[in-house]
Amino acid sequence: AQRVTQPEKLLSVFKGAPVELKCNYSYSGSPELFWYVQYSRQRLQLLLRHISRESIKGFTADLNKGETSFHLKKPFAQEEDSAMYYCALRGLTDSWGKLQFGAGTQVVVTP
Amino acid sequence: GAGVSQSPSNKVTEKGKDVELRCDPISGHTALYWYRQRLGQGLEFLIYFQGNSAPDKSGLPSDRFSAERTGESVSTLTIQRTQQEDSAVYLCATSGVPGELFFGEGSRLTVL
């Protein structure tokens, strides 16, 4: 079974402060991890995936297999980062596989 | 348009009625997913289709729920004998690359 846990329902930070969204997972095989984001009145969309190892909108996330975590970080939060963030997992051993989402973390960046 | 299209965007129905939700995928996307999102909760996987493979129905909550997709075209999610706990936003997503999902705007279902 695959499980994704996002322990924080709400994260409130000041503009310019660092922000870290926690994501822990459980999966018996090799996972692929993603972060999806939903801005106000917009569709849910892909933010980044661990395989790409790239920074998107200043966000980075590193897969830590030892701690089974994939935390999302940004050194200086901006007001436009206010959104709902979802961590998601699929099994790499699956030819395609379902994408399992966490419960989401609402980020509010205040000026 | 080029995105995933869902209809209806809003549906209010009476308990016990059947409802059908429709999803038009992005052309060429072989995978199609249905998720449910109850108020204040995360995305709950329902079912996914990939090409001509048998669909993964492991997330369907009861036999009142069913979904169909013909080839790589439109999909319909049907809920029979709706219950109040079925009230939620039903999201469809399609994908041309594993893990990279493109979501529709959702169908908001309210069961009175």
Side-chain angles (χ1 to χ4, degrees), chain B residues 12-27:
Chain B
V12 180
T13 190
E14 293 179 348
K15 177 181 171 182
K17 301 280 190 184
D18 297 352
V19 297
E20 191 173 277
L21 308 177
R22 176 186 169 108
C23 175
D24 282 272
I26 292 173
S27 178

Side-chain angles (χ1 to χ4, degrees), chain B residues 26-80:
Chain B
I26 292 173
S27 178
H29 279 192
T30 58
L32 185 146
Y33 301 75
W34 283 99
Y35 288 87
R36 177 169 71 177
Q37 187 171 32
R38 289 185 166 129
L39 188 63
Q41 300 188 20
L43 278 72
E44 177 186 359
F45 168 78
L46 297 177
I47 185 171
Y48 95 91
F49 301 86
Q50 164 50 22
N52 294 318
S53 302
D56 181 340
K57 304 179 181 181
S58 60
L60 293 177
S62 76
D63 58 7
R64 296 188 296 105
F65 288 73
S66 63
E68 292 185 352
R69 187 186 190 197
T70 304
E72 296 179 4
S73 63
V74 170
S75 175
T76 55
L77 175 69
T78 301
I79 309 172
Q80 296 178 308

Side-chain angles (χ1 to χ4, degrees), chain A residues 9 32 34 36 38 41 43-46 49 52 84 86 90 94-104, chain B residues 3-4 30-31 33 35 37 40-43 45 48 50 56 58 95-101 103-105:
Chain A
K9 290 194 104 169
E32 183 176 11
F34 305 80
Y36 277 76
Q38 187 167 26
R41 290 183 292 279
R43 303 180 185 207
L44 189 59
Q45 59 186 285
L46 177 66
R49 59 193 303 176
S52 301
M84 191 74 173
Y86 293 93
R90 67 175 279 267
D94 298 330
S95 60
W96 202 278
K98 70 184 183 187
L99 199 61
Q100 183 79 34
F101 285 83
Chain B
V4 177
T30 58
Y33 301 75
Y35 288 87
Q37 187 171 32
Q41 300 188 20
L43 278 72
F45 168 78
Y48 95 91
Q50 164 50 22
D56 181 340
S58 60
S95 175
V97 173
E100 294 187 5
L101 272 57
F103 282 84
E105 292 186 322

